[in-house]
């Protein structure tokens, strides 16, 4: 993270759901399923299959954008003091960066969950949520003032402000849109989107994808509806277009 910002990224950092408050000394409480090394290995393995699919979907929908717009960078934040989280930013080179922190990775129960959340973060880029959120910010409608501070270029401020923005998260509408895109991407990459979306079911922990907002049941329903559309098209020998 520090490196990302130090490298000159002044992008809006929007975590997917509110991040529980904690001090840097405290250990985040979450259910660790596996150790850091094996979970990071699994992440790169799954991302290796999902990123090309996300990139292809992105390019098919954004032919007018620069090459970098759909060229996802796969990143890990190794800070073990952070509560589980995943987020998408824009690097200094204009490429979208998908970052999972190590505790998020340790909390995944299977590859389908990793694939789904990766697709979700890519979905925020594909649906241009950062752009739209920044536009809202410039209009002073949502997070007035914060973008200006982030644009100031101080690395530490960037990190702190990023946390502040992360605490607010995206709108519920954007999260559901990203979930819809995630279902398409996970399925096309050969993962089970329904199993992946069960990452929302976990309760009592601090996973950023636990989704107190929007409610996890709403997210799971949204994914189930999308899977119906995907499977309906498959049954007719076709492929459902990625729409949200
Ligand atoms: Zn999200």
């Amino acid at each position: 993270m520090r490196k990302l910002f130090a490298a000159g990224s002044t992008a809006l950092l929007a975590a997917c759901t509110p991040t529980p408050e904690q001090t840097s000394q405290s250990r985040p409480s979450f259910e660790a399923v596996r150790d850091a090394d094996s979970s990071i290995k699994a992440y790169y393995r799954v991302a290796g299959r999902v990123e090309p699919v996300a990139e292809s979907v992105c390019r098919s929908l954004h032919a007018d954008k620069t090459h970098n717009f759909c060229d996802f960078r796969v990143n890990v934040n190794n800070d073990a003091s952070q509560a589980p989280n995943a987020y998408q930013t824009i690097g200094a080179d204009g490429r979208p960066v998908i970052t999972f922190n190590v505790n998020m990775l340790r909390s995944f129960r299977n590859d389908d969950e990793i694939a789904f959340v990766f697709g979700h973060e890519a979905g925020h880029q594909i649906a241009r949520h950062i752009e739209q959120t920044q536009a809202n910010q410039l209009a002073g409608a949502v997070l007035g003032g914060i973008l200006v501070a982030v644009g100031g270029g101080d690395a530490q401020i960037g990190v702190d402000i990023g946390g502040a923005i992360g605490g607010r998260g995206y709108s519920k509408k954007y999260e559901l849109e990203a979930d819809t895109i995630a279902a398409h991407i996970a399925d096309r990459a050969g993962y089970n989107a329904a199993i992946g979306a069960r990452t929302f079911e976990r309760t009592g922990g601090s996973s950023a994808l636990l989704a107190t907002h929007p409610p996890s049941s709403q997210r799971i329903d949204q994914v189930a509806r999308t899977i119906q559309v995907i499977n309906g098209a498959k049954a007719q020998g076709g492929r459902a277009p990625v729409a949200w």
Side-chain angles (χ1 to χ4, degrees):
M1 259 323 289
R2 293 280 160 81
K3 271 184 193 155
L4 186 66
F5 278 95
S9 170
T10 55
L12 169 70
L13 192 157
C16 282
T17 47
T19 305
E21 285 189 14
Q22 58 176 319
T23 66
S24 56
Q25 274 74 38
S26 72
R27 286 268 136 194
S29 75
F30 68 101
E31 195 186 331
V33 176
R34 44 188 162 181
D35 65 65
D37 283 351
S38 69
S39 64
I40 289 169
K41 216 172 276 180
Y43 169 62
Y44 280 113
R45 176 166 42 76
V46 173
R49 280 176 62 181
V50 179
E51 191 280 334
V53 174
E55 185 169 337
S56 160
V57 167
C58 180
R59 294 205 188 287
S60 72
L61 294 163
H62 296 295
D64 56 325
K65 296 276 189 188
T66 63
H67 181 84
N68 281 351
F69 186 85
C70 296
D71 194 7
F72 293 98
R73 192 135 45 91
V74 180
N75 188 42
V76 173
N77 177 347
N78 283 303
D79 185 349
S81 70
Q82 293 182 3
N85 202 3
Y87 44 88
Q88 187 238 317
T89 55
I90 303 293
D93 56 4
R95 291 176 63 187
V97 183
I98 293 177
T99 303
F100 284 55
N101 71 16
V102 65
N103 286 337
M104 185 77 182
L105 293 174
R106 293 189 65 195
S107 76
F108 286 123
R109 292 172 293 195
N110 52 60
D111 288 358
D112 297 304
E113 291 188 343
I114 302 174
F116 188 87
V117 177
F118 193 94
H120 175 100
E121 297 308 328
H124 280 308
Q125 174 73 355
I126 290 167
R128 301 191 300 109
H129 290 159
I130 285 184
E131 277 179 30
Q132 290 174 22
T133 303
Q134 283 177 328
N136 288 341
Q137 285 179 326
L138 289 170
V142 176
L143 298 167
I146 294 177
L147 181 66
V148 174
V150 173
D154 181 292
Q156 190 54 50
I157 287 176
V159 171
D160 294 344
I161 299 287
I165 294 171
R168 295 170 193 235
Y170 278 125
S171 72
K172 176 171 143 182
K173 177 173 172 283
Y174 285 178
E175 294 303 339
L176 292 173
E177 288 180 0
D179 288 343
T180 301
I181 296 169
H184 284 282
I185 290 175
D187 184 81
R188 289 187 184 192
Y191 292 95
N192 186 314
I195 292 174
R198 286 192 204 144
T199 191
F200 300 140
E201 285 175 348
R202 272 172 275 178
T203 55
S206 57
S207 166
L209 266 282
L210 259 181
T212 51
H213 174 82
S216 57
S217 62
Q218 200 176 346
R219 302 183 76 172
I220 288 168
D221 288 351
Q222 174 80 13
V223 171
R225 274 195 300 275
T226 307
I227 291 169
Q228 264 185 346
V229 171
I230 292 169
N231 289 340
K234 277 184 191 170
Q236 300 191 337
R239 188 163 76 167
V242 178
W244 58 93

